């Protein structure tokens, strides 16, 4: 620990340094090393013969859950309670450790290994998010429904995500920064620079999650604490060298390993980098070129994608004229390229606030398009071409029993007529496709072109 002071590691550590090391080494080992049985339950459920990038993503995103339920969305106040419990365990462990090991002179060797474990844990955590940004998957381009939702009907988190989604090159740049930090952490001589980038970059992520009401503030703070632990090794000497412009001595501690250990270390490190960098990077790249995991993959009604005006709407054969306040009448309908219909209404709905990063394989669990917004009701649907029916299921998890069966006819290529039963009411809607242009797309076609909407 004396390496923090700017000189060569001394033979003897001071008492407070040994106490600090005992507490923090136990604390960060419990934070970094998976000891939670729920983690291994999920690990053994992976199909290793058909490994997906999402499997590696969740392996990389481990945090200990003492009071949690073992789910991937278990972050919250219970996470801080977990940290306090781990700190309490670390303090108790340090007391026992001091009693049994009070005559030790230093922990140079053990400190080295604790830092190795923490920096590799931090590396895979930051790389896991780096790749899904570098290949812009985390915040995809807005759907047609999103483009036809009023600004004020989005949550702060959704506005942030959509704003990032419209600039995929910037999203890739953010991912590149995370990949750079993770790569630097994988090597001892550059780990301090990597930790510094993590603390600064992830510090911004933490603040943005607080400001935009995101769901990953806890996890970003977790990564920051790991980065601060690593940065503490050199931070004082860096301050003296750069801030005070004074000479400092480099750390010359070097762990001596046997020939067999050096060989084993090289094999383990190579396998580690292959799995969490090259294999995960390839799997993420492949997923980016095959699908956007935020949106469903089941194809929608053929040649139907677009925005539709509801020119006529009847409830129980009664014609409802257009109204800006009517909660029963449909204002417009969007058919996405995939099997989602969104209906613009004034009906009050309970917002679906899924704000953590989840990679779901089933279309029914992919709720990004409707999460964090109101003003539209989103339905997934199945097509029965023989009966010309659409079987709709509300995507908002707050309304699991909201289902519709709509018959459809297509008078021409730009019109649809939908009839069916909504609860106890029969509905009839005539839809006409609007050839709407969007400023985002028109402006992207070139700055020197005139924009006509």
């Amino acid at each position: 620990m004396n390496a923090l002071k700017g000189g060569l590691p001394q033979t003897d550590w001071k008492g407070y340094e040994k106490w600090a090391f005992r507490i923090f080494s136990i604390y960060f080992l419990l934070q970094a090393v998976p000891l939670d049985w729920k983690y291994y339950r999920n690990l053994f459920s992976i199909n290793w013969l058909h490994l997906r990038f999402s499997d590696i993503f969740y392996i990389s995103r481990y945090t200990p859950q003492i009071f949690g339920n073992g789910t991937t969305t278990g972050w919250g106040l219970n996470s801080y309670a977990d940290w306090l419990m781990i700190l309490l365990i670390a303090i108790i462990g340090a007391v026992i450790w001091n009693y049994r090991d009070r005559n030790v002179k230093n922990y140079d060797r053990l400190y080295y290994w604790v830092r190795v474990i923490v920096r590799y844990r931090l590396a895979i955590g930051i790389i896991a998010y780096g790749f899904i940004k570098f290949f812009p998957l985390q915040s995809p381009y807005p759907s047609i429904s999103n483009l036809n939702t009023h600004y004020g009907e989005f949550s702060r988190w959704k506005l942030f995500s959509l704003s990032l989604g419209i600039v995929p090159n910037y999203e890739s740049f953010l991912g590149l920064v995370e990949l750079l930090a993770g790569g630097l952490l994988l090597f001892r001589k550059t780990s301090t620079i990597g930790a510094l980038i993590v603390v600064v970059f992830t510090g911004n992520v933490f603040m943005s999650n607080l400001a935009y009401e995101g769901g990953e503030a806890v996890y970003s703070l977790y990564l920051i604490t790991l980065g601060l632990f690593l940065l503490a090794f050199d931070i004082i000497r860096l301050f003296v060298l750069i801030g005070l412009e004074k000479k400092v001595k480099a750390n010359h501690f070097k762990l001596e390993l046997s020939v067999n250990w050096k060989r084993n270390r090289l094999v383990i490190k190579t396998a580690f980098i292959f799995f969490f960098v090259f294999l995960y990077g390839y799997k993420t790249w492949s997923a980016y070129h095959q699908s956007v995991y935020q949106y469903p993959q089941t194809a929608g009604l053929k040649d139907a994608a677009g925005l539709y005006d509801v020119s006529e709407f009847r409830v129980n054969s009664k014609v409802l004229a257009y109204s800006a306040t009517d909660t029963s009448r449909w204002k417009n309908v969007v058919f996405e390229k995939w099997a989602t219909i969104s209906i613009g209404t004034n009906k009050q709905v309970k917002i679906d606030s899924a704000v953590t990063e989840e990679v779901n394989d089933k279309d029914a669990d992919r709720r990004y398009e409707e999460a964090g917004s109101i003003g539209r009701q989103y339905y997934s649907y199945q097509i029965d071409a023989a009966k010309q029916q659409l079987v709709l299921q509300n995507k908002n998890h707050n309304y699991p029993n909201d289902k519709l069966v709509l018959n459809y006819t297509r008078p021409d290529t730009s019109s649809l007529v939908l009839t069916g039963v909504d609860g106890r009411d029969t509905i009839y809607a005539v839809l006409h496709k609007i050839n709407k242009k969007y400023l985002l797309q028109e402006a992207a076609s070139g700055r020197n072109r005139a924009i006509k909407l």
Side-chain angles (χ1 to χ4, degrees):
M1 292 290 279
N2 284 282
L4 304 182
K5 294 185 174 181
L8 296 171
Q10 300 174 5
T11 303
D12 296 338
W13 285 17
K14 292 182 173 60
Y16 72 88
E17 291 177 324
K18 290 188 284 187
W19 269 105
F21 172 76
R22 290 169 185 141
I23 294 173
F24 285 112
S25 62
I26 296 174
Y27 176 82
F28 282 106
L29 284 175
L30 291 176
Q31 286 278 29
V33 180
L35 300 177
D36 190 339
W37 69 270
K38 295 183 289 293
Y39 175 82
Y40 293 97
R41 178 193 63 189
N42 297 332
L43 190 67
F44 292 135
S45 67
I46 293 174
N47 184 349
W48 292 94
L49 296 178
H50 297 88
L51 192 66
R52 302 160 299 182
F53 90 94
S54 57
D55 297 323
I56 305 177
F57 175 79
Y58 283 121
I59 291 174
S60 304
R61 205 172 68 161
Y62 165 78
T63 55
Q65 293 187 25
I66 299 174
F67 299 106
N69 55 12
T71 66
T72 53
T73 56
W75 298 323
L77 293 177
N78 60 287
S79 298
Y80 296 117
D82 292 337
W83 295 4
L84 289 174
M85 179 60 70
I86 291 173
L87 180 60
L88 179 61
I89 294 172
I91 293 173
I92 295 173
V95 172
I96 299 172
W97 189 352
N98 177 68
Y99 176 76
R100 298 179 61 88
D101 203 17
R102 64 180 60 186
N103 295 322
V104 71
K105 294 182 178 181
N106 65 67
Y107 292 109
D108 286 340
R109 187 182 183 90
L110 187 56
Y111 185 34
Y112 175 92
W113 284 114
V114 172
R115 292 185 72 246
V116 168
I117 293 172
V118 172
R119 67 183 174 88
Y120 274 77
R121 168 63 191 97
L122 180 57
I124 64 173
I126 202 72
I127 287 173
Y129 277 81
F131 272 118
I132 63 173
K133 289 188 181 75
F134 184 73
F135 303 112
L137 289 165
Q138 188 176 18
S139 294
Y141 195 84
S143 65
I144 302 174
S145 299
N146 292 153
L147 292 173
N148 288 281
T149 301
H150 297 304
Y151 187 90
E153 293 177 335
F154 289 118
S155 67
R156 292 185 179 92
W157 163 80
K158 193 57 174 284
L159 287 174
F160 177 82
S161 184
L162 293 175
S163 298
L164 187 58
I166 64 175
V167 282
N169 289 337
Y170 178 63
E171 185 177 353
S172 295
F173 168 74
L174 296 179
L176 182 61
V177 173
E178 291 181 314
L179 292 176
L180 174 63
L184 292 172
L185 286 166
L186 293 174
F187 301 93
R188 176 178 54 84
K189 293 182 179 180
T190 57
S191 60
T192 297
I193 302 174
L196 179 61
I197 295 175
V198 168
V199 170
V200 174
F201 182 89
T202 312
N204 180 63
V205 174
F206 171 70
M207 293 306 299
S208 67
N209 270 269
L210 292 180
Y212 286 93
E213 300 176 347
E216 304 201 1
V218 173
Y219 186 66
S220 56
L221 183 59
Y222 166 78
L223 296 180
I224 291 170
T225 60
L226 298 180
L228 288 172
F229 176 76
L230 296 174
L231 194 58
F233 183 75
D234 283 322
I235 191 63
I236 295 179
R237 286 186 292 139
L238 285 173
F239 172 74
V240 173
L241 177 65
I242 299 174
L244 302 182
E245 298 182 352
K246 295 181 180 180
K247 292 182 180 180
V248 293
K249 294 181 180 180
N251 169 54
H252 292 298
F253 175 77
K254 185 177 181 180
L255 188 68
E256 295 296 334
L257 298 173
S258 66
V259 175
N260 288 335
W261 261 109
K262 288 182 179 179
R263 186 187 305 114
N264 294 337
R265 170 186 170 275
L266 180 61
V267 171
I268 294 172
K269 183 170 184 176
T270 301
F272 184 93
I273 293 176
F274 171 77
F275 185 79
F276 287 106
V277 179
F278 292 102
L279 180 60
Y280 176 64
Y282 169 75
K283 291 288 185 179
T284 310
W285 172 85
S286 179
Y288 171 68
H289 285 83
Q290 293 177 6
S291 67
V292 176
Y293 67 83
Q294 303 282 25
Y295 295 136
Q297 296 305 302
T298 303
L301 190 63
K302 186 177 180 180
D303 299 325
L307 172 67
Y308 291 80
D309 175 54
V310 182
S311 61
E312 182 179 350
F313 189 77
R314 304 177 189 172
V315 176
N316 297 326
S317 300
K318 180 181 179 181
V319 177
L320 299 182
Y322 176 82
S323 170
T325 58
D326 193 332
T327 59
S328 299
R329 194 187 194 282
W330 297 358
K331 295 188 291 185
N332 56 64
V333 175
V334 168
F335 279 78
E336 301 288 355
K337 292 184 295 183
W338 50 87
T340 294
I341 295 175
S342 71
I343 302 171
T345 68
N346 289 315
K347 184 181 295 185
Q348 295 295 316
V349 297
K350 186 176 181 179
I351 193 169
D352 188 348
S353 55
V355 293
T356 57
E357 191 63 34
E358 306 301 337
V359 184
N360 296 303
D361 297 312
K362 297 180 180 179
D363 281 359
D365 298 326
R366 297 183 175 188
R367 303 201 305 270
Y368 175 83
E369 53 186 333
E370 53 86 21
S373 66
I374 56 175
R376 307 193 68 82
Q377 297 183 69
Y378 288 78
Y379 294 87
S380 60
Y381 64 90
Q382 296 178 334
I383 305 170
D384 188 334
K387 296 181 180 180
Q388 288 195 300
Q389 282 186 343
L390 305 177
V391 182
L392 279 62
Q393 169 65 57
N394 198 318
K395 292 178 67 68
N396 190 321
H397 77 285
N398 294 305
Y399 303 95
N401 298 321
D402 184 7
K403 301 179 181 180
L404 292 172
V405 177
L406 298 177
N407 299 302
Y408 69 90
T409 57
R410 308 183 77 167
D412 53 60
T413 57
S414 61
S415 299
L416 276 164
V417 177
L418 302 178
T419 59
V421 178
D422 184 0
R424 296 181 178 180
D425 300 321
T426 60
I427 57 174
Y428 173 89
V430 180
L431 314 181
H432 292 289
K433 195 170 187 178
I434 303 173
N435 185 25
K436 184 175 181 178
K437 295 182 179 180
Y438 300 92
L439 179 60
L440 284 174
Q441 298 168 351
E442 293 297 306
S445 62
R447 294 182 179 275
N448 297 323
R449 289 183 52 188
I451 298 174
K452 297 179 181 179
L453 297 180

